[in-house]
Each structure stands twice: as structure tokens, then as C-alpha cells.
Amino acid sequence: MKFLYRFVIFTLFVVSSFGDGDDDDVGYEVTNKTFPKGFLFGVATAAYQIEGGWDEDGKGEQIWDMWIHSNPKIVADGSTGDVASDSYHKYKEDVACMTEVGVHYYRFSIAWARILPNGRTNKVNKAGVDYYLNLLKELKANGIEAMVTLYHWDLPTALHDIGGWTNPEIVGLFAEYAQLCYELFGDYVKTWVTINEPKQICHGGYGGSGYAPGINSEGLGEYLCARYVLLAHAKAWHIYDTEFRSKQNGRITIVIDSDWFEPTTDSAEDKEAAETKIQFVFGMYANPVFIGDWPQVMIDRVADRSLKEGFDQTRLPPFSSEEVADIRGTYDFLAINHYTSYMVSAAAEPNIDNPSWVKDAGGNVYQKDTWQQAAIGWFRIVPWGIGKLLKWIKATYGDLEIVITENGVSDRNGTLEDDHRIRYLKLYMSHLLDAMYEDNINITGYTLWSIIDNFEWTQGFNGKLGIYYVNMSDPERPRVPKKSSKYYANVIKTLCLQDSCE
Ligand code: BGC
């Protein structure tokens, strides 16, 4: 849903209304409880969004390079990630920002095509390998742990040419790439993330909803993609588990993003519609990993609609029992990215015509106009949604360790005095603390997106989510602290969201 919403907003959004709405948190008091000692705070980025150097030193082309270069109008401000925040040259400055804030870990991603220009392990690009080794060494020298994502949406074009995430071969190719990364970098990496946000990869990239590679195969390609993303994740997880874990002592998991879906009323119909929606959004990827197989409601609904559409079998490719067993349990903790929420009410069954994941899920999904609109952005600010989502996760998947691997908000108007971001962080983290203290949810880490302004996909440089400002017109790309960087630093130091805590 998020990508769809983002896409519409990129196209239509003109005026920011941040600060004028009601986020439904009226009367809510920020907690004066503190984060427990040992709770870990981090910041996150992704390769294409920060690195630049898109074809430098032997890097291969990846699908975002390809897609944006051939469709320049796709990006709201006409920019590209060719230079982005220039972290390929300025990673030491990024680490200096992190040191200033005092974070415990840095979540960044490896660009597959920077180390394997053709996506395959027959040709390794030494300059690319050196770049990540240097970054890892710089982090180590500054006492910052590495949380490394293997795939944050930038598939080498050479692999897209053979069908990308809809070709079964991708499972083995991803596993080989993952294995190489463990060999090359594993001694420096405490936490691995195999895949970032499969929903955006599959529905954004293959369901026609505005992400590279821009394939429009709604209700078909997006399910194939989901199948192979999950199998690729599982294979990479098992390789780490059996061959590297005992030597490298790290942890590994998949990052799944989810909005919260709140039933409009207490009626059984609205509750069922909301539950169905979250199963199609989060359960689609979490159920196979944390319970086993696609969620039953997906299996039933897609089969039913497929037959009515005239297919002789379900469009949702089934997992064999071996595959179910292979994917089940491939996590060391549950990692979640969360930004916003939606309301859901029951609706008449969508028409039977073209296949569609959105129609398969059904329901009437919307956001309240009264919820604050994030400045030039794709979401509304709904702080209580994170608490509800966490409770639902615990009720559905059991008492698991949870790390928030992304949360943040875009700038209001480019000012360094980003009080709105401080308010956002304070409220979201307060609901997080409520979940920990009141609902006994085992949350051990929080990752702010992002340390520096960067290239926000099809929103380009309009979407600034950093706690450090980067002037994208300045070739030097200096990093300048925003007020929120001081606030976050203080939270990390004092473990308290307010000026003082109990
Ligand atoms: C993605 C990031 C993105 C952020 C803010 C997340 O879905 O992982 O790459 O920048 O949202 O839009």
C-alpha cells in the first residue's frame, strides 16, 4: 500500500499541511519512562540512496540506474541517484556524523552490482569490495557496529535481463552473492539483513506500482517475486547458519515493512477486513518465515478469485512442503520498518476482472484527512499505530525479539530547526516504550531513517529524511546537523525522551 500511496503523492502532492492536522494522539502524554540500559540505537541508509559513484571504479549497472536513466520523468524533481549524497567518497563524514550522535550501530546496504558488476560471482570488482571494507573498518575504529543489508532494491541489470525476481535462478544467484559477502565482510558484521522490504520489491517493482524495474504484472508477477524473494532469503539464511555463524558469531534476519491497519469500527466485518489486509501486507512475508506457508486467508482468497477469473489454478504459487519447512524459522529476530497507518472498513468483494493483489486483499483502505500529513511525503503521522502493530505482531507470531529497523519522517521545509521531526520521534518512541513496559513486548533496538538526507527513490531530493542536512546542489555535499540530531543524541545518552525522566 505504501508504495501506491507514495506514487500517487509524488505525482499529486503540491502543498505541505504538516502541523495542521490531528494525529489522533490528542491528550496522549509522552512517557517519562526510560529505555533500558543495553537498548541499542542506530541509524540507517541504503546504497543507491547515498553512495553515488553509479558507474565508478567498475561498478555494474543496477535496475534503478537503468530505470531512471531511461525514464527521467519518473523522479519528482528530475534528479537521479548518480551522485546522491556522494557517500562513495564521503563515507568517513557519514561515520563522523554517527559518532557525533553516539549511535551504537549503522544499518547500510551493499550494492550487489558494486561488488559483482554482472550479478554473478565469476567477476568480483575489487574496488567495490575495498569500499565496503574501508567503511566497515572506519565503523570499527569508531566503535560502531555494522548491520548490513544485502539487498535494498538494487538488482544488477544483468540479472533483471534474465527475469530478475521472477526467475527461479535468482534464488541460487542471491545465495552465491550472500555467501561471498559473508566471506568478504563477515568478520566485521554483527547483524545481517538478507532482504529489505520484500513488499516494495515485489508489489512496487513487479505489481506496476512505481518502483524499478517498473514491471506491471499485477496479481501474477508480484506473487512470483514474493515466492523467490522468500526462497532466496531462506537459502542465504541457511548458508550463514550452517557455514558462518559459529565462526563469525553474527545474527541474520529479513526486514519486513508494515503499516498498521486499524478497523474503522468494532464490527466483525471491519475487523475481518483489517485483519485480511494486514495478512496480505505483512503476513504474506512474515507467515512463511515465522509460522510456515502463505497466510491461510491469502491461500483461500487468491484461489477463489483466480478460479472466478477463469484461471485453472491459483495465481499464488504454492510452496511445496519442503519449501515451507525450508523457509520456516529463518530468522534470528523480527525486524520491522514502520512509518504510517491506515483505516480499513469492510467493502463489497472487488469486481472479478484483471488480477490484482489489492483486489485480492479487498476492503476499503484509507487514511483520515485529520491525520497530519508528513511534509513532501507519502504518509501521515499516526504515532499510536506503531504500538498497535507491535501488539498485533506479538499476538500473531508469539513473543519474539523485535528490532525496529526503520522509522522516520521527511522534512517540512528544509529548515535545520526540524521541530516536527523531534515531535515525530518523541511520539513514536514513546509508543514504543509503552509497548515495552505495558505490553511486555521484547524490543531491543530502534533505527532512525536516516542519518543524512539522501535520494528518496521516485521522490528524488524532495524527500529529505536525514537528521543531517545535505545540500544536493553543492558538489562538496557537506553534512550539516539538524536540531533533531541533537535530540536523538540526547535520547541515546540519557535513554529519556523528555528533558528529564522519572
Ligand atoms: C525504505 C527506504 C526509504 C524509506 C523512506 C523505506 O521503505 O526502506 O529506502 O527511504 O522507507 O521512504
Side-chain angles (χ1 to χ4, degrees), residues 253-285:
T253 201
I254 184 170
V255 163
I256 306 177
D257 62 306
S258 192
D259 310 312
W260 168 244
F261 296 93
E262 175 75 6
T264 300
T265 69
D266 265 350
S267 72
E269 293 77 15
D270 285 355
K271 284 185 181 163
E272 189 187 335
E275 174 68 17
T276 303
K277 184 68 192 178
I278 201 166
Q279 288 293 354
F280 270 80
V281 169
F282 188 74
M284 178 168 174
Y285 300 99

Side-chain angles (χ1 to χ4, degrees), residues 123-397:
K123 188 173 167 225
V124 180
N125 179 31
K126 183 171 177 316
V129 173
D130 288 347
Y131 169 68
Y132 293 111
L133 279 176
N134 290 337
L135 169 59
L136 287 163
K137 286 177 188 165
E138 185 71 10
L139 288 169
K140 189 169 182 195
N142 284 278
I144 299 171
E145 277 175 15
M147 179 187 277
V148 181
T149 307
L150 289 167
Y151 186 75
H152 201 121
W153 311 352
D154 46 357
L155 189 72
T157 302
L159 301 185
H160 167 68
D161 290 343
I162 56 162
W165 287 106
T166 61
N167 180 345
E169 288 294 311
I170 199 71
V171 176
L173 292 165
F174 178 73
E176 281 169 24
Y177 158 64
Q179 166 143 6
L180 180 70
C181 288
Y182 308 147
E183 282 162 9
L184 292 170
F185 310 121
D187 288 341
Y188 292 92
V189 179
K190 185 104 184 210
T191 309
W192 289 100
V193 168
T194 52
I195 306 270
N196 179 68
E197 299 191 355
K199 170 158 67 85
Q200 312 301 339
I201 298 167
C202 296
H203 309 297
Y206 295 87
S209 295
Y211 278 8
I215 305 286
N216 189 349
S217 179
E218 268 191 87
L220 292 160
E222 50 193 346
Y223 289 137
L224 280 179
C225 167
R227 171 175 162 75
Y228 297 123
V229 160
L230 284 161
L231 287 168
H233 152 75
K235 198 166 170 84
W237 189 92
H238 284 296
I239 292 173
Y240 189 79
D241 192 46
T242 53
E243 295 176 38
F244 294 88
R245 187 190 290 281
S246 60
K247 292 177 272 182
Q248 299 184 341
N249 298 313
R251 304 206 296 168
I252 178 161
T253 201
I254 184 170
V255 163
I256 306 177
D257 62 306
S258 192
D259 310 312
W260 168 244
F261 296 93
E262 175 75 6
T264 300
T265 69
D266 265 350
S267 72
E269 293 77 15
D270 285 355
K271 284 185 181 163
E272 189 187 335
E275 174 68 17
T276 303
K277 184 68 192 178
I278 201 166
Q279 288 293 354
F280 270 80
V281 169
F282 188 74
M284 178 168 174
Y285 300 99
N287 211 81
V289 173
F290 297 96
I291 295 178
D293 212 340
W294 305 114
Q296 192 60 45
V297 67
M298 279 193 75
I299 295 175
D300 296 343
R301 283 189 57 87
V302 183
D304 183 51
R305 291 185 60 87
S306 303
L307 296 183
K308 289 181 178 145
E309 286 157 0
F311 292 90
D312 57 4
Q313 56 185 332
T314 178
R315 289 179 276 103
L316 183 66
F319 290 116
S320 68
S321 48
E322 290 76 26
E323 288 169 339
V324 168
D326 202 42
I327 299 170
R328 181 192 290 133
T330 52
Y331 64 89
D332 291 342
F333 58 92
L334 190 150
I336 176 159
N337 294 352
H338 174 79
Y339 290 87
T340 194
S341 295
Y342 290 83
M343 303 296 297
V344 185
S345 58
E349 186 62 30
N351 289 344
I352 297 292
D353 43 37
N354 296 328
S356 148
W357 167 69
V358 173
K359 287 185 189 163
D360 288 342
N364 171 34
V365 182
Y366 61 99
Q367 291 190 306
K368 285 194 188 174
D369 289 342
T370 51
W371 291 346
Q372 292 184 344
Q373 168 76 60
I376 312 174
W378 39 262
F379 63 82
R380 290 179 189 269
I381 298 165
V382 195
W384 51 264
I386 196 168
K388 295 227 180 185
L389 176 63
L390 289 163
K391 269 200 242 183
W392 179 85
I393 287 177
K394 184 172 174 179
T396 310
Y397 304 103

Side-chain angles (χ1 to χ4, degrees), residues 2 6 10 45-46 49 107 152-153 196-197 200 211 255 257 337 339 378-379 406 408 449-450 454-457 459 465:
K2 182 165 74 176
R6 286 179 187 183
F10 298 162
T45 63
Q49 294 180 269
R107 175 172 177 237
H152 201 121
W153 311 352
N196 179 68
E197 299 191 355
Q200 312 301 339
Y211 278 8
V255 163
D257 62 306
N337 294 352
Y339 290 87
W378 39 262
F379 63 82
E406 275 182 43
W449 183 280
S450 176
N454 54 55
F455 181 77
E456 181 54 30
W457 308 107
Q459 204 174 147
L465 282 96

